[in-house]
Amino acid sequence: MLGWSIGPKHLIKHLQTVQQNTIYTCATPLQEALAQAFWIDIKRMDDPECYFNSLPKELEVKRDRMVRLLESVGLTPIVPDGGYFIIADVSLLDADFSDMKDSSEPYDYKFVKWMTKNKKLSAIPVSAFCNAETKSQFEKFVRFCFIKKDSTLDAAEAIIKAWKRQAS
């Protein structure tokens, strides 16, 4: 889906929530196709090429690579047992928010916007998942996705290592 929505902030805020959650929905024919694909793979669970066996192994290699990268620049990632996101406290990475217009945003929002603009690297602010009472506890954390092509992870690694060398 591609498009633009313009309107008052109090309406657009809710539209952003809807957009964020609708990209995870799936049309009925696609759900049926996926169910059939899963049924085929369930029958071959002993096969190493089975999706349910191969995906966790692929993700573990990518996760461990992202852990090593984040640790190599002095960050302490929270290592998940599953999934494809790693959370890390990024307050040790040097970021200059002096040109940010909205200073009332949580640190992680500003950090992610700054990093995307200045380092061409993207992440997700963790406080986006928090309520007002707990948001401040998590605003130094961002979520990095590691289910990427190796070439994308190579590029991210080069960016982060160059960034850390500049800060040293």
Side-chain angles (χ1 to χ4, degrees):
M1 175 168 43
L2 177 66
W4 292 90
S5 296
I6 300 172
K9 187 174 185 173
H10 72 280
L11 294 178
I12 295 298
K13 173 184 166 187
H14 299 291
L15 188 58
Q16 287 173 318
T17 301
V18 170
Q19 190 280 331
Q20 171 69 23
N21 293 306
T22 57
I23 61 174
Y24 293 106
T25 61
C26 191
T28 303
L30 295 177
Q31 289 174 326
E32 176 65 23
L34 186 59
Q36 292 298 322
F38 280 171
W39 186 247
I40 290 167
D41 253 19
I42 284 172
K43 292 177 182 176
R44 59 183 201 132
M45 285 294 283
D46 294 331
D47 183 343
E49 295 301 313
C50 170
Y51 176 78
F52 299 110
N53 295 322
S54 63
L55 182 64
K57 289 175 183 160
E58 177 187 346
L59 290 178
E60 185 176 25
V61 169
K62 292 177 183 294
R63 180 205 63 195
D64 292 347
R65 178 180 181 184
M66 182 66 78
V67 167
R68 285 190 305 274
L69 170 60
L70 295 172
E71 288 176 343
S72 77
V73 295
L75 301 181
T76 306
I78 299 169
V79 183
D81 290 331
Y84 43 87
F85 291 105
I86 286 186
I87 295 174
D89 180 336
V90 293
S91 58
L92 294 177
L93 293 175
D94 193 28
D96 177 11
F97 303 144
S98 60
D99 65 340
M100 291 277 180
K101 293 180 176 103
D102 186 358
S103 61
S104 66
E105 285 184 310
Y107 180 89
D108 57 341
Y109 274 76
K110 290 187 279 192
F111 181 87
V112 166
K113 287 179 181 180
W114 176 88
M115 184 174 68
T116 302
K117 178 181 175 187
N118 295 290
K119 300 297 180 181
K120 308 300 184 233
L121 190 62
S122 184
I124 301 165
V126 171
S127 72
F129 303 101
C130 301
N131 62 28
E133 293 83 38
T134 59
K135 195 174 281 280
S136 65
Q137 296 172 35
F138 297 97
E139 68 176 324
K140 299 291 178 150
F141 294 90
V142 301
R143 199 166 83 150
F144 294 95
C145 182
F146 56 84
I147 189 168
K148 304 286 184 182
K149 293 178 184 176
D150 287 338
S151 60
T152 303
L153 293 175
D154 292 342
E157 184 171 355
I159 290 168
I160 290 174
K161 285 188 172 180
W163 182 0
K164 189 61 180 177
R165 278 192 301 273
Q166 291 169 353
S168 298

